[in-house]
Amino acid sequence: MLNLRIISGKYKGKKIKTCGLSTTRETTDRTKETIFNLIGQYFDGGIALDLFAGSGSLGLEAISRGIRVCIFGDNNPKAIKTIEENVLSLKLEKVEYKIIKNDYELVLKELIAYKINLDLVFLDPPYYDIDLNKLLSIIDNYPYFNKKAMIIVEHAKEYLLPDMPNFSIFKSRAIGRRTITILERN
């Protein structure tokens, strides 16, 4: 089991619990550091979505670095419990996060119903259990993105992202057997 921590910002050095599930691939500190080097180190507000959140590591890192609100979505009860424990251990205020236990399509439908404008979306789905083309198509058609919105996709190295009319590849970085691709709004 990995030892995770917040690597920068307000909660720097705080430990984060992991899910310990065989189906969950935790985002390592090295990968988080790479992601935030690619998208920017700190934020001045904004709303993030950590979909397939697992322990919530990416969303918690974003909050620590200045994101105003993070929505955590996952359909695994143990992941949801882990996220709840992590937000409690960091003593986050209720206005800083929302946890939604549901399938990714229903999470996105709920956000559409409430017209939530997103600035960052973290996508780290199970590589071979989710149709990434379908997921990215749904995300591409999400109607409430802010002007400079970014989508951070962690995917298998051999996977080529489909064309997305509303987003284009900003940066991409291979890390071992996976790739981090940053998409920015056109």
Side-chain angles (χ1 to χ4, degrees), residues 115-150:
K115 299 181 179 178
I116 304 296
N117 288 309
L118 297 172
D119 296 283
L120 282 178
V121 177
F122 297 102
L123 298 176
D124 185 11
Y127 292 167
Y128 305 105
D129 296 339
I130 295 290
D131 181 346
L132 196 52
N133 285 352
K134 178 182 175 185
L135 169 62
L136 291 172
S137 175
I138 292 169
I139 292 285
D140 190 44
N141 290 301
Y142 182 84
Y144 303 108
F145 278 110
N146 288 321
K147 276 186 188 177
K148 296 182 179 184
M150 287 189 201

Side-chain angles (χ1 to χ4, degrees), residues 69-92:
V69 176
C70 185
I71 300 155
F72 300 92
D74 206 299
N75 65 357
N76 185 296
K78 188 164 184 184
I80 294 298
K81 185 176 185 308
T82 303
I83 296 165
E84 289 169 345
E85 290 171 357
N86 284 332
V87 298
L88 285 173
S89 74
L90 294 176
K91 298 181 175 103
L92 296 185

